[in-house]
């Protein structure tokens, strides 16, 4: 029977550490500040933005929300990003995705000052992650590493398999595991013998966005199984990319959905916001 990795408890511990760092910065006259931009009225995006604002308040980070109508033009959004780049009290800029049709997400991200890119999506930050010389990490992969570390799970020398190759999770996840001396395989929709490859993993990270995609026959006994997915099952209930009930008896450690990786994402965003404030005030990160 697997040890369940409690993402809620670990995220609370990370937020507590961040709150202490914020206090130290405030004593130096620096209040970390973050701007959250939401365009349109996507209900899921609204929930995420509210959660981010709540987390900022909890750890003592100053936050501003910019809620723009779905009719916002590319020029208007770019003008806001450029204005926020210049605002000294704002250290982190987060533009909530997905953006409405007609807005170029890549162009918007490219125009965020890399030092304020707390999502770590800008090409400069992606490149820094590639060479292992980074200020920020994408929040979800960073959260996974934190879960492994705080659960006492060694990465070095382990066979790591990442299922999914998105720019937000799959690719940076693979790079972070590689930086920690894991032997990494990335699998995707064109991978042949997927089950056999997954079954070789000591650490299996599922990030495909398909409900219960990873089944028991794809998991080696004693593997660490990290589920990044957030889906709805046939009954409309929240579930991950892993068939939890079938896989849990085989794994040594497993993350549940909800309550696993999810809470870590926002906790790591808070950590990035503090790092951004330090960088912009010439303090060591």
């Amino acid at each position: 029977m697997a040890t369940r990795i409690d993402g809620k408890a670990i995220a609370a511990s990370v937020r507590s550490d961040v709150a202490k760092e914020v206090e130290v910065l405030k004593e130096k006259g620096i209040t970390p500040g973050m701007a959250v931009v939401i365009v349109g009225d996507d209900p899921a995006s609204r929930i995420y933005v509210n959660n981010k604002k709540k987390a900022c308040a909890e750890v003592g980070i100053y936050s501003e929300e910019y809620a723009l109508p779905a009719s916002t033009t590319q020029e208007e959004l770019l003008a806001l990003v450029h204005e926020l780049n210049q605002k000294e009290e704002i250290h982190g800029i987060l533009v909530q995705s997905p953006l409405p049709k007609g807005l170029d997400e890549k162009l918007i991200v490219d125009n965020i000052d890399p030092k304020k890119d707390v999502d770590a999506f800008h090409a400069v930050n992606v490149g820094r992650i590639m060479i292992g010389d980074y200020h920020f990490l994408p929040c979800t992969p960073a959260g996974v590493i934190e879960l492994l570390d705080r659960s006492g799970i060694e990465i070095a020398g382990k066979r790591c398999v990442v299922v999914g190759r998105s720019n937000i999770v799959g690719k940076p996840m693979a790079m972070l595991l590689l930086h920690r001396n894991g032997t990494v395989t990335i699998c995707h929709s064109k991978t042949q013998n997927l089950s056999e490859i997954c079954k070789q993993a000591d650490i299996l990270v599922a990030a495909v966005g398909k409900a219960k995609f990873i089944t028991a026959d794809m998991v080696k006994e004693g593997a660490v199984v990290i589920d990044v997915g957030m889906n709805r099952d046939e009954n409309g209930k929240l579930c991950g990319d892993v068939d939890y009930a079938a896989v849990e008896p085989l794994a040594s450690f497993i993350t549940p959905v909800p309550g696993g990786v999810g809470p870590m994402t926002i906790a790591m965003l808070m950590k990035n916001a503090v790092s951004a404030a330090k960088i912009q005030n010439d303090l060591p990160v």
Side-chain angles (χ1 to χ4, degrees), residues 1-5 148 153 198-199 201-205 214-227 242-256:
M1 198 69 94
T3 298
R4 186 172 168 274
I5 299 175
L148 293 171
I153 296 161
C198 289
K199 199 150 190 173
D202 301 308
I203 299 172
L204 178 62
V205 181
I214 302 291
T215 50
D217 61 336
M218 299 167 79
V219 178
K220 177 170 83 171
E221 192 160 344
V224 175
V225 180
I226 305 290
D227 192 346
V242 175
D243 184 347
Y244 187 92
V247 170
E248 193 254 358
L250 281 169
S252 58
F253 288 85
I254 192 167
T255 58

Side-chain angles (χ1 to χ4, degrees), residues 83-282:
E83 183 189 320
L84 294 171
N85 281 340
Q86 302 306 317
K87 245 185 156 177
E88 281 186 18
E89 68 269 34
I90 294 298
H91 302 103
I93 302 169
L94 188 145
V95 179
Q96 184 63 43
S97 61
L99 291 173
K101 278 184 182 165
L103 295 176
D104 183 344
E105 210 157 302
K106 183 183 179 300
L107 182 65
I108 300 303
V109 170
D110 285 350
N111 276 272
I112 295 172
D113 181 341
K115 288 180 183 171
K116 295 192 176 190
D117 168 40
V118 285
D119 265 333
F121 292 165
H122 192 287
V124 166
N125 289 324
V126 172
R128 295 190 75 129
I129 290 159
M130 188 76 181
I131 60 172
D133 174 27
Y134 43 78
H135 296 312
F136 313 118
L137 294 172
C139 301
T140 301
V144 170
I145 296 292
E146 197 78 21
L147 285 177
L148 293 171
D149 283 348
R150 294 195 184 219
S151 301
I153 296 161
E154 181 66 48
I155 300 169
K158 297 288 175 65
R159 183 78 187 264
C160 307
V161 173
V162 179
V163 188
R165 55 174 165 181
S166 73
N167 290 333
I168 294 171
V169 180
K171 288 178 191 170
M173 187 75 254
M175 287 312 305
L176 297 192
L177 290 165
L178 190 59
H179 289 323
R180 297 291 294 273
N181 298 314
T183 300
V184 184
T185 302
I186 305 175
C187 297
H188 45 79
S189 56
K190 300 288 189 287
T191 299
Q192 296 182 3
N193 307 320
L194 179 66
S195 291
E196 288 88 335
I197 294 168
C198 289
K199 199 150 190 173
Q200 293 171 19
D202 301 308
I203 299 172
L204 178 62
V205 181
V208 279
K210 290 184 180 178
K212 301 181 183 178
F213 180 78
I214 302 291
T215 50
D217 61 336
M218 299 167 79
V219 178
K220 177 170 83 171
E221 192 160 344
V224 175
V225 180
I226 305 290
D227 192 346
V228 181
M230 185 65 82
N231 315 292
R232 298 268 173 192
D233 67 11
E234 59 280 3
N235 304 313
K237 195 178 166 197
L238 272 178
C239 70
D241 290 349
V242 175
D243 184 347
Y244 187 92
V247 170
E248 193 254 358
L250 281 169
S252 58
F253 288 85
I254 192 167
T255 58
V257 175
V261 175
M264 294 301 295
T265 299
I266 291 181
M268 301 314 285
L269 176 65
M270 299 301 108
K271 205 170 175 180
N272 280 353
V274 169
S275 295
K278 287 178 178 176
I279 290 160
Q280 287 157 58
N281 284 279
D282 298 319

